[in-house]
Amino acid sequence: MKRQLWSWLRMLGGLGILLVLLWHLGSGAFLDGLRRIDAGTLLAGLGIGVLTTVCSAWRWCLVARGLGLRLPLGRAVADYYRALFLNAALPGGVLGDVNRAVRHGRATGDVGRGVRAVVLERVAGQLVLLAAGTVALAARPSPVRTALGRALGTPAAAAVGAAVAAAVLAVVLLGRARGRRTGAGGWPGGRPRAALAGVRRAGALWSGVAALSLVVLAGYVATFLLAARVAGVRAPVADLVPLVLLALSAMALPLNVGGWGPREGVAAWAFGVAGLGAGQGLATAVVYGALVLAASLPGAGVLLGRVRWVRVGQALGRVRHVGSAARSPQLQLEERVLAQHGPAHRRP
């Protein structure tokens, strides 16, 4: 019951943001950018989507390997495409990730580690995005940085930050307590040398995860910049990148409908504060959402292909069942006799 209520609140929150934007900026900001999308733009978005999806799936493979799970890259790419399509087509924006986590966990016999692999893979991407956004905002003076600093200095923002820090501290303390109860504390592996080897392996693993996350982030930023040009924004790229990273960071907020809502709201706010116009920011975010949806369409093919194979398997199972039931009692008796005495005792 609580889970269903939370899902409804998330969806209503995203819809509420979109309705407020529609009320303040009108429908023109939603429709003008969509009218400018042509076949070349869709192909460009699809090509960038291939790069980001393959790198994201590769990152998932590395994280799964670090947790001791086997995940071939080809299967990871197919599952990631299906997850992207489900995230874009269904409310909430995370149901596709839940699906790939559970499927991989069941395939490897450990649903818990399968879920942790997906969570860590997504968290790694968000951390790289947060770090890149912080550096971009700090490196270039902008009205957005000043406005954001004032917003983060409010008591409400301080309370939210304190709550997040307390939650992280609680998770760390609970993990240590569980390790002491299970005897997992101390050096991993029992010896300092083994622990150092594990640290080196983990360092190489997470270096690869960070590098792939940077490539994925570069693909997302390129898609957003493409959307800005399609929407008619002519500002320099250096001025747009901090705004783009801020809008991408908003997608992590759990109030959206298939990814829509906070991204459009933050883009409209950031572009408005930067003097580019809130309507331009909303149009850019809308075009970006359309390009992301188009880039996820190969996932629909993966999903339909799996449904078709499942139906074929079910049909073959029914054929085998009917064929077995259609055999005559005499034939079944002869088969049992042959199984017991061999073909030499069979009479004509």
Side-chain angles (χ1 to χ4, degrees), residues 22-256:
L22 181 63
W23 180 40
H24 281 282
L25 301 176
S27 60
F30 282 90
L31 300 178
D32 289 344
L34 294 178
R35 293 192 186 101
R36 299 185 181 187
I37 299 176
D38 55 12
T41 303
L42 290 176
L43 288 177
L46 186 61
I48 298 173
V50 171
L51 173 65
T52 57
T53 303
V54 171
C55 290
S56 298
W58 191 358
R59 178 177 64 190
W60 182 25
C61 291
L62 291 181
V63 175
R65 188 186 309 165
L67 294 178
L69 299 176
R70 183 177 179 274
L71 180 60
L73 180 59
R75 177 184 171 185
V77 171
D79 287 352
Y80 217 102
Y81 259 120
R82 179 173 51 240
L84 289 176
F85 176 74
L86 293 176
N87 285 344
L90 299 176
V94 296
L95 296 179
D97 292 322
V98 173
N99 177 264
R100 69 181 170 100
V102 174
R103 282 174 51 83
H104 180 223
R106 289 176 177 174
T108 56
D110 194 333
V111 175
R113 279 197 293 176
V115 172
R116 286 196 295 273
V118 171
V119 170
L120 289 174
E121 182 262 327
R122 291 300 301 267
V123 168
Q126 292 298 324
L127 289 177
V128 170
L129 171 59
L130 181 62
T134 302
V135 171
L137 285 172
R140 190 173 183 86
S142 118
V144 174
R145 185 178 70 179
T146 304
L148 190 61
R150 287 198 301 265
L152 293 178
T154 60
V160 171
V164 172
V168 172
L169 180 61
V171 170
V172 173
L173 293 178
L174 287 175
R176 289 183 178 180
R178 182 178 298 177
R180 285 194 294 267
R181 287 197 305 269
T182 58
W187 289 99
R191 296 181 181 179
R193 183 175 298 177
L196 291 176
V199 169
R200 285 194 294 269
R201 288 194 298 270
L205 169 69
W206 290 107
S207 297
V209 170
L212 290 171
S213 297
L214 286 173
V215 176
V216 172
L217 179 58
Y220 291 160
V221 172
T223 304
F224 224 117
L225 293 176
L226 174 64
R229 295 305 186 222
V230 171
V233 180
R234 296 293 176 258
V237 172
D239 293 337
L240 288 177
V241 168
L243 311 182
V244 167
L245 292 173
L246 195 60
L248 289 173
S249 300
M251 295 178 63
L253 296 176
L255 298 172
N256 61 79

Side-chain angles (χ1 to χ4, degrees), residues 295-319:
S296 70
L297 289 180
V302 175
L303 187 63
L304 292 176
R306 174 168 177 78
V307 171
R308 183 175 300 175
W309 277 111
V310 169
R311 290 179 177 176
V312 170
Q314 292 174 347
L316 290 176
R318 287 195 295 268
V319 169

Side-chain angles (χ1 to χ4, degrees), residues 276-301:
L276 301 176
Q280 290 281 63
L282 177 57
T284 298
V286 169
V287 174
Y288 175 82
L291 294 179
V292 169
L293 179 60
S296 70
L297 289 180

